[in-house]
């Protein structure tokens, strides 16, 4: 009799634990679901009400080489070969400017590059818009982790302001321009029997394949409007290597991405 009572008590305890765990599981799931739904709704509202939006991104990809020979009479070119992508990021311009939709401060932060081989040397530079689509490299423009722009409160219609320093206009009339580079081969020898064209066709004179050139870049664009409201957007770009008509090995490619990426209010 005593054993039966103990057995019944044990069964009752186990049953009670099962019921408790079941309801606790249901409650926890409901609580988490409710939290996530509220969070998602809040996030969606912040994005929907965002004053700022990236309209499109234009990327020009090619390659070039830095000649290491000091005497051009030598039988071989000695080149450091690198790929590059010039990036122009355009904001959607508002029809009527006000304190909410014009920019007071702008900076780029948390820059990260991913390349196919750890032996490569990727880098990101501020790009003078006048040099877009060229292999011009200015070492002083190299960005280590972040860059702060000088924001001016006019549209520069008379071109009085040059783009040799990081400048952005508060009315969102000019693009953010950056240059991604990736040094692939150093001291590569090419026989000096023909005229070299310093573009993506240089890559065909190496053993590099398209897979070797795969790369991506990501960063945050952080802005503040004239109401001191802060917004941010994370930009992630897979470096384009081909389009519908040609590849980087043919010389260069131009890629236009319509993004409609809205900033998230902080």
């Amino acid at each position: 009799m005593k054993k039966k009572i103990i057995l019944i008590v044990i069964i009752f305890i186990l049953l009670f634990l099962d019921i408790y765990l079941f309801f606790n599981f249901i409650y926890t799931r409901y609580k988490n679901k409710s939290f996530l739904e509220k969070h998602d709704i809040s996030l969606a509202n912040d994005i929907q009400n965002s004053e700022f939006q990236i309209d499109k991104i234009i990327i020009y990809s090619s390659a070039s080489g830095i000649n290491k020979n000091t005497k051009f009479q030598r039988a071989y070119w000695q080149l450091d070969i690198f790929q590059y992508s010039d990036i122009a990021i355009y904001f959607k311009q508002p029809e009527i400017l006000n304190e909410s939709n014009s920019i007071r401060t702008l900076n780029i932060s948390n820059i990260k590059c991913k390349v196919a081989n750890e032996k490569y040397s990727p880098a990101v530079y501020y790009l003078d818009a006048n040099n877009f689509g060229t292999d011009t490299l200015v070492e002083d423009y190299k960005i280590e982790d972040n860059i702060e722009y000088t924001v001016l409160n006019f549209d520069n219609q008379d071109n009085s302001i040059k783009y040799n320093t990081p400048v952005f206009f508060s009315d969102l009339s000019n693009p953010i321009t950056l240059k991604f580079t990736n040094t692939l081969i150093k001291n590569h020898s090419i026989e000096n029997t023909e005229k070299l064209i310093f573009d993506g066709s240089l890559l065909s004179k190496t053993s590099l394949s398209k897979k070797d050139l795969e790369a991506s870049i990501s960063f945050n664009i952080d802005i503040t409007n004239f109401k001191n409201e802060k917004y941010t957007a994370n930009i992630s770009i897979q470096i384009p290597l081909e389009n519908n008509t040609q590849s980087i090995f043919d010389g260069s490619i131009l890629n236009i991405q319509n993004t409609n990426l809205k900033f998230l209010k902080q």
Side-chain angles (χ1 to χ4, degrees):
M1 183 68 179
K2 188 176 181 180
K3 289 183 180 180
K4 287 184 179 181
I5 294 174
I6 294 173
L7 182 60
I8 291 171
V9 171
I10 293 172
I11 293 172
F12 177 78
I13 292 172
L14 291 175
L15 183 61
F16 175 79
L17 286 174
D18 286 341
I19 294 172
Y20 171 79
L21 291 173
F22 174 76
F23 279 101
N24 187 59
F25 172 74
I26 295 297
Y27 172 75
T28 302
R29 289 197 63 182
Y30 172 79
K31 184 179 179 181
N32 291 340
K33 182 174 181 293
S34 177
F35 172 80
L36 290 172
E37 285 176 347
K38 289 179 181 178
H39 179 74
D40 288 345
I41 290 171
S42 175
L43 180 63
N45 287 336
D46 284 343
I47 294 174
Q48 186 176 4
N49 296 328
S50 176
E51 297 282 356
F52 302 99
Q53 176 177 311
I54 300 297
D55 206 19
K56 64 181 175 180
I57 299 175
I58 298 177
I59 307 172
Y60 175 91
S61 293
S62 187
S64 190
I66 299 174
N67 185 27
K68 309 300 283 292
N69 280 348
T70 56
K71 296 182 179 179
F72 289 93
Q73 294 79 10
R74 292 185 179 179
Y76 289 87
W77 293 87
Q78 202 75 20
L79 302 175
D80 287 351
I81 295 177
F82 63 94
Q83 67 181 120
Y84 68 90
S85 290
D86 290 350
I87 302 168
I89 301 170
Y90 291 81
F91 281 78
K92 182 178 181 180
Q93 284 189 267
E95 294 181 3
I96 301 175
L97 284 173
N98 54 50
E99 289 185 339
S100 296
N101 60 24
S102 53
I103 291 178
R104 186 172 67 84
T105 68
L106 183 149
N107 66 80
I108 294 174
S109 62
N110 197 29
I111 299 172
K112 296 179 181 178
C113 300
K114 185 177 180 181
V115 294
N117 192 319
E118 61 181 13
K119 294 181 180 179
Y120 297 161
S121 300
V124 179
Y125 297 79
Y126 163 73
L127 175 65
D128 182 337
N130 294 310
N131 292 326
F132 189 92
T134 73
D135 62 359
T136 303
L137 278 181
V138 182
E139 283 301 320
D140 288 344
Y141 293 171
K142 188 174 181 180
I143 307 170
E144 296 302 331
D145 182 63
N146 61 77
I147 179 173
E148 185 171 346
Y149 282 71
T150 299
V151 180
L152 302 176
N153 194 22
F154 57 92
D155 58 10
N156 196 37
Q157 288 187 2
D158 61 355
N159 292 317
S160 59
I161 300 297
K162 305 306 177 184
Y163 294 97
N164 56 355
T165 57
V167 170
F168 193 80
F169 297 98
S170 61
D171 65 352
L172 292 73
S173 58
N174 67 307
I176 295 171
T177 47
L178 302 170
K179 180 184 285 288
F180 164 81
T181 68
N182 187 19
T183 302
L184 304 164
I185 303 176
K186 292 187 176 181
N187 297 316
H188 182 67
S189 295
I190 299 177
E191 192 173 0
N192 190 11
T193 58
E194 59 179 309
K195 182 179 179 180
L196 284 184
I197 300 175
F198 283 75
D199 62 11
S201 62
L202 273 180
L203 300 170
S204 62
K205 300 182 184 298
T206 72
S207 60
L208 293 167
S209 66
K210 188 178 75 171
K211 189 174 181 63
D212 296 317
L213 308 180
E214 291 178 353
S216 62
I217 175 176
S218 66
F219 50 87
N220 293 335
I221 300 178
D222 306 306
I223 58 180
T224 306
N225 64 13
F226 280 87
K227 294 176 69 175
N228 285 325
E229 296 170 332
K230 298 182 184 298
Y231 293 82
T232 190
N234 178 257
I235 308 295
S236 183
I237 297 172
Q238 188 71 31
I239 298 300
L241 302 175
E242 60 185 2
N243 56 26
N244 293 331
T245 58
Q246 60 187 20
S247 78
I248 191 173
F249 288 90
D250 297 315
S252 63
I253 62 167
L254 187 66
N255 181 275
I256 301 175
Q257 303 174 8
N258 296 312
T259 59
N260 300 320
L261 175 63
K262 292 189 176 182
F263 280 70
L264 177 63
K265 189 175 182 181
Q266 299 300 294

